Amino acid sequence: MLFRGVLLAVQALQLVGALDLPAGSCAFEESTCGFDSVFEFLPWILNEEGHYIYVDTSFAKQGEKAVLLSSDLRAEEWSCLRLVYQITTSLGSPSEPSRLNLYVRFDDESFDRLLWSAKEPSDSWLIASLDLQNSSKKFKILIEGVLGHGTTASIAVFEIKMTTGYCLECDFEENHLCGFVNRWNPNVNWFVGGGSIRNSHSILPQDHTFKSELGHYMYVDSVYVKHYQEVAQLISPMTTAPMSGCLLFYYQLQQGNDNVFSVYSRDAAGLYEEIWKTGNPGNADWNLAEVEFSAPYPMEVIFEVAFNGPKGGYVALDDISFSPVPCQNQTERPFSAVEASCNFEEDLCNFYQDKEGPGWTRVKVKPNMYRAGDHTSGLGYFLMANTKFTSQPGYIGRLYGPSLPGNLQYCLRFYYAIYGFLKMSDTLAVYIFEENHMVQDKIWSVLESPRGVWMQAEITFKKPMPTKVVFMSLCKSFWDCGLVALDDITIELGSCWSPEKLPTPPGECTFEQDECAFTQERRNRSSWHRRRGETPTSYTGPKGDHTTGVGYYMYIEASHMVYGQKARLLSRPLRGVTGKHCLTFFYHMYGAGTGLLNVYLKKEGDSEEALLWRRRGEQSISWLRALIEYTCERRHQIIFEAIRGVSIRSDIAIDDVKFQAGSCAEMEAITQQSSGYSEDLNEIEY
């Protein structure tokens, strides 16, 4: 099998120095370096002359996969995994392209986490740079190749290399330039400087890394510029894990020349945001720049030089690094998502109220057939405005959040529920309070929504000055006054609507897109159904889903079933591991004839199923949280079984299923720390 561009890839790898690679790395010269093909799937083939491994349609069929598994690895420091690969296909665009996937498998998790995926064919080798967050847990890397349609479809991996550090970091000493790429321009581009290369008319500096002529750096030279406003861009690899801290780099400008050196962030939608620009020329030597950088979702860093005059000169760049702590030159207190969020289980966290008026009250309602509980668990605390059931015309309640630094983009999410108002408009509104100017700017308000349903709101905002978020509840008149509930407020950096969110862990399912990896023993009118909104039968089932209030959930429609009939929803096969697992989900059992909801553990090879959890009969008009702790060292499945009750008012629903490694107490501790509260788990029934 011949791969176009193989020789180029081989030369690059030889220049990298692939013979002395760290753990989790392989250049596939003579062996697979401890990476082994998984027996149940196709084998990866080591090329006869070395240099790469491959799988192709000469010995496999469309849809078949080959899986390569590493030995045990550790990444106690943040690491960067680089994959040099190529996907080729037949001429024309296939409906089912080949795909290369990379997973991380932790020892204590029963599922694999998708880290990266690619399906675009190429005439030459490509580089993927993937951030691995530091963890003390052992893990393995899985490389999965899935063949697509075509007689010459093939997938090759030339090198995998895991090194300590961030993928954004680079000293430009290696041939692959750490995955940085130049955006080609006919007249001005970034070039590699230093070493034996002398192709510039300008007198360029020694590099910063080695401070000698042997070292390398990147530079832009205006010698070929033909027009003003020519722009050269050097683009970093896209981040693949959330990160926030200080981006540092060294630069050098030819003094007194007409150029502008800027740094931008760019998300997957192509939205640019300037994060740094040269203020003064600096000295003639290398200058250090420190830039606050936050990437809550996939993002690139772009180093841009624009020439706007006849004396453009040059700009040089070297030794890009990143630190997860704020820059030393930062004067403002760094933003903390933990301090800006609250689920009100313990107190108001860092939120506070206006001293005037009755304000918001923290309440706990035992859910029953007439009153809904909180959003967090169904059994906890939430805030309610105007809890006195006597109407108060002109009532206003204000809830202030903590101070947020200016000039940052934020995503505000919260859940609200409205009860009793005839006209819902403006009964709840969100304002941004600018502390310096004492100005309030309305950024959101209720227009219309289902009554008595926890609804999710998402708001993206950015202000130049320090601000506070203000939740305002308003009761306009004596004749139209009701209740407003508020819960689970989170504030994070970045936009709420990033088009390319980080991959959802395979152990989580909200049913928003599909049924995830759940399957059913049969599919007919009496099976589990995916639905949004209310169920068809009155006085049974939820009014909306738990995730957003307007999303999807799974339920049984009792009117399609007979008394005692079962519907079973099966998880994907889960790998057996040592240690405890915690399964959490939300369930809804409202209706006078409600039957049973059971959760079973089915081990591979066993004919019997073990009952893990059960609820019988009507529970509440609310979504309630279930926590189930279990252990299983064999391959297994989790089964949700709903049994129809005595009447058609017997709809049963589930939503927001999550599998996690560790005990439920550990999972709750992590959740409580991120929400700023603690709770005695012994009080929770499970």
Side-chain angles (χ1 to χ4, degrees):
M1 179 191 65
L2 295 177
F3 282 95
R4 296 179 294 249
V6 166
L7 290 178
L8 180 61
V10 172
Q11 292 169 0
L13 295 177
Q14 290 172 343
L15 287 171
V16 169
L19 295 177
D20 185 21
L21 291 170
S25 306
C26 192
F28 304 109
E29 291 298 325
E30 298 177 353
S31 69
T32 56
C33 319
F35 284 82
D36 296 317
S37 290
V38 177
F39 179 74
E40 301 97 288
F41 305 101
L42 292 173
W44 284 90
I45 306 299
L46 181 65
N47 183 45
E48 291 181 1
E49 299 178 359
H51 309 318
Y52 61 88
I53 56 172
Y54 69 92
V55 57
D56 70 4
T57 48
S58 66
F59 65 90
K61 299 177 182 178
Q62 177 187 351
E64 290 192 288
K65 65 175 66 173
V67 179
L68 197 69
L69 185 64
S70 76
S71 56
D72 284 337
L73 303 171
R74 287 190 185 275
E76 295 187 354
E77 296 182 64
W78 193 290
S79 299
C80 180
L81 188 70
R82 298 196 194 278
L83 191 72
V84 184
Y85 70 97
Q86 183 182 12
I87 299 173
T88 62
T89 186
S90 304
L91 293 176
S93 58
S95 56
E96 291 292 334
S98 298
R99 183 177 290 274
L100 182 61
N101 302 319
L102 194 143
Y103 296 86
V104 175
R105 172 181 291 181
F106 287 101
D107 271 4
D108 60 348
E109 291 185 344
S110 55
F111 46 83
D112 301 326
R113 295 177 178 267
L114 179 64
L115 184 64
W116 169 86
S117 181
K119 61 182 180 181
E120 294 77 19
S122 169
D123 288 337
S124 61
W125 58 277
L126 301 173
I127 297 177
S129 301
L130 312 164
D131 285 295
L132 298 177
Q133 291 176 284
N134 51 306
S135 171
S136 59
K137 298 193 297 185
K138 289 193 298 184
F139 66 94
K140 291 181 172 68
I141 297 295
L142 276 80
I143 303 173
E144 177 187 73
V146 183
L147 287 171
H149 181 73
T151 56
T152 59
S154 58
I155 305 168
V157 175
F158 299 99
E159 183 187 49
I160 184 168
K161 188 174 183 181
M162 189 173 83
T163 54
T164 301
Y166 294 80
C167 292
L168 282 175
E169 299 179 319
C170 196
D171 58 12
F172 303 108
E173 298 303 330
E174 293 189 298
N175 182 272
H176 54 57
L177 303 181
C178 316
F180 278 75
V181 294
N182 167 71
R183 182 183 178 186
W184 189 81
N185 182 318
N187 301 315
V188 59
N189 292 278
W190 285 91
F191 295 100
V192 178
S196 59
I197 302 172
R198 293 290 181 269
N199 59 358
S200 171
H201 293 73
S202 300
I203 301 174
L204 295 172
Q206 294 182 342
D207 91 307
H208 180 267
T209 313
F210 298 121
K211 296 178 174 57
S212 73
E213 293 184 355
L214 298 178
H216 297 86
Y217 52 88
M218 301 299 294
Y219 75 95
V220 183
D221 197 336
S222 67
V223 66
Y224 298 113
V225 171
K226 297 181 179 179
H227 311 284
Y228 295 164
Q229 299 301 322
E230 293 279 13
V231 173
Q233 289 188 335
L234 184 68
I235 304 170
S236 79
M238 186 164 279
T239 62
T240 57
M243 53 193 290
S244 180
C246 189
L247 179 69
L248 303 97
F249 57 90
Y250 286 87
Y251 69 97
Q252 191 171 130
L253 299 175
Q254 192 169 358
Q255 289 184 315
N257 291 304
D258 299 321
N259 56 52
V260 178
F261 182 28
S262 307
V263 180
Y264 296 87
S265 65
R266 182 173 69 181
D267 64 19
L271 179 65
Y272 282 78
E273 182 174 1
E274 185 178 86
I275 57 177
W276 181 86
K277 179 186 286 186
T278 46
N280 55 62
N283 55 51
D285 203 354
W286 289 100
N287 299 278
L288 173 64
E290 299 180 67
V291 185
E292 286 298 320
F293 176 69
S294 176
Y297 44 78
M299 196 172 289
E300 296 167 326
V301 175
I302 298 178
F303 295 87
E304 180 181 281
V305 176
F307 293 103
N308 55 10
K311 297 180 179 180
Y314 73 85
V315 176
L317 171 69
D318 203 3
D319 292 340
I320 301 168
S321 61
F322 181 81
S323 170
V325 298
C327 297
Q328 292 184 355
N329 60 7
Q330 183 180 354
T331 56
E332 291 184 333
R333 184 168 172 266
F335 168 76
S336 168
V338 173
E339 295 180 10
S341 304
C342 194
N343 61 14
F344 307 107
E345 294 303 307
E346 182 68 19
D347 50 32
L348 295 182
C349 306
N350 292 308
F351 289 76
Y352 65 94
Q353 298 193 69
D354 198 328
K355 295 180 181 179
E356 300 176 2
W360 295 82
T361 305
R362 182 171 158 268
V363 299
K364 183 176 184 179
V365 178
K366 185 175 181 180
N368 55 29
M369 302 317 107
Y370 310 102
R371 297 188 300 180
D374 78 319
H375 179 266
T376 313
S377 68
L379 300 169
Y381 287 86
F382 59 98
L383 294 190
M384 186 169 281
N386 192 12
T387 54
K388 296 180 180 179
F389 288 90
T390 55
S391 299
Q392 300 181 30
Y395 155 85
I396 297 177
R398 293 183 180 89
L399 180 73
Y400 289 81
S403 181
L404 304 173
N407 206 33
L408 293 174
Q409 189 176 58
Y410 296 99
C411 172
L412 167 65
R413 291 188 178 94
F414 60 92
Y415 288 85
Y416 67 94
I418 310 292
Y419 303 84
F421 288 91
L422 297 174
K423 294 182 180 179
M424 194 173 291
S425 178
D426 280 340
T427 54
L428 176 64
V430 179
Y431 290 80
I432 294 297
F433 175 66
E434 294 188 32
E435 297 178 273
N436 294 26
H437 299 98
M438 302 296 288
V439 175
Q440 293 196 60
D441 178 23
K442 185 164 73 172
I443 58 173
W444 178 91
S445 66
V446 173
L447 296 175
E448 192 65 40
S449 68
R451 284 165 173 75
V453 177
W454 283 110
M455 303 286 293
Q456 185 192 59
E458 293 184 326
I459 310 164
T460 299
F461 66 93
K462 181 179 180 180
K463 293 291 183 181
M465 305 300 291
T467 59
K468 293 182 179 181
V469 174
V470 184
F471 294 88
M472 184 180 295
S473 173
L474 175 63
C475 182
K476 297 179 181 178
S477 70
F478 180 87
W479 303 107
D480 188 11
C481 199
L483 304 176
V484 178
L486 186 64
D487 203 3
D488 294 343
I489 302 172
T490 61
I491 302 178
E492 298 175 332
L493 288 174
S495 169
C496 297
W497 303 292
S498 170
E500 192 171 316
K501 296 284 186 183
L502 298 170
T504 302
E508 298 181 18
C509 187
T510 62
F511 304 108
E512 294 305 300
Q513 303 298 325
D514 50 34
E515 296 177 13
C516 306
F518 284 94
T519 58
Q520 302 203 50
E521 292 181 342
R522 64 177 185 276
R523 283 191 180 274
N524 53 39
R525 285 162 57 92
S526 60
S527 304
W528 286 91
H529 303 281
R530 182 168 162 268
R531 184 179 178 85
R532 67 192 304 180
E534 294 186 77
T535 59
T537 309
S538 301
Y539 303 105
T540 188
K543 294 181 178 180
D545 79 317
H546 179 264
T547 315
T548 64
V550 293
Y552 289 87
Y553 55 90
M554 296 295 289
Y555 89 111
I556 62 164
E557 177 52 55
S559 62
H560 296 164
M561 306 170 71
V562 297
Y563 174 52
Q565 193 169 12
K566 300 175 181 179
R568 289 161 64 85
L569 190 67
L570 287 70
S571 75
R572 72 169 72 188
L574 301 169
R575 193 174 65 252
V577 295
T578 57
K580 296 178 179 178
H581 288 69
C582 182
L583 166 63
T584 64
F585 64 95
F586 283 81
Y587 63 98
H588 197 284
M589 300 175 71
Y590 166 59
T594 302
L596 277 80
L597 177 60
N598 301 318
V599 179
Y600 291 100
L601 170 66
K602 180 177 175 56
K603 298 181 182 179
E604 189 174 66
D606 284 4
S607 57
E608 298 291 326
E609 299 167 356
L611 178 66
L612 296 178
W613 181 93
R614 168 173 287 169
R615 287 293 180 272
R616 183 191 303 271
E618 189 174 52
Q619 298 292 310
S620 169
I621 200 169
S622 286
W623 285 98
L624 302 176
R625 185 180 59 176
L627 297 99
I628 304 173
E629 191 172 287
Y630 71 96
T631 58
C632 187
E633 298 185 9
R634 284 157 54 187
R635 193 174 172 90
H636 62 280
Q637 288 177 286
I638 296 296
I639 302 173
F640 292 91
E641 179 186 76
I643 303 177
R644 198 260 208 194
V646 295
S647 77
I648 61 171
R649 293 179 183 173
S650 185
D651 295 347
I652 296 173
I654 62 171
D655 200 6
D656 297 346
V657 181
K658 179 186 277 190
F659 294 89
Q660 294 170 289
S663 69
C664 288
E666 290 173 355
M667 297 305 106
E668 281 296 283
I670 294 171
T671 302
Q672 291 153 11
Q673 289 169 10
S674 65
S675 302
Y677 83 102
S678 61
E679 179 181 46
D680 184 359
L681 272 180
N682 294 325
E683 295 179 0
I684 299 177
E685 180 184 5
Y686 63 92

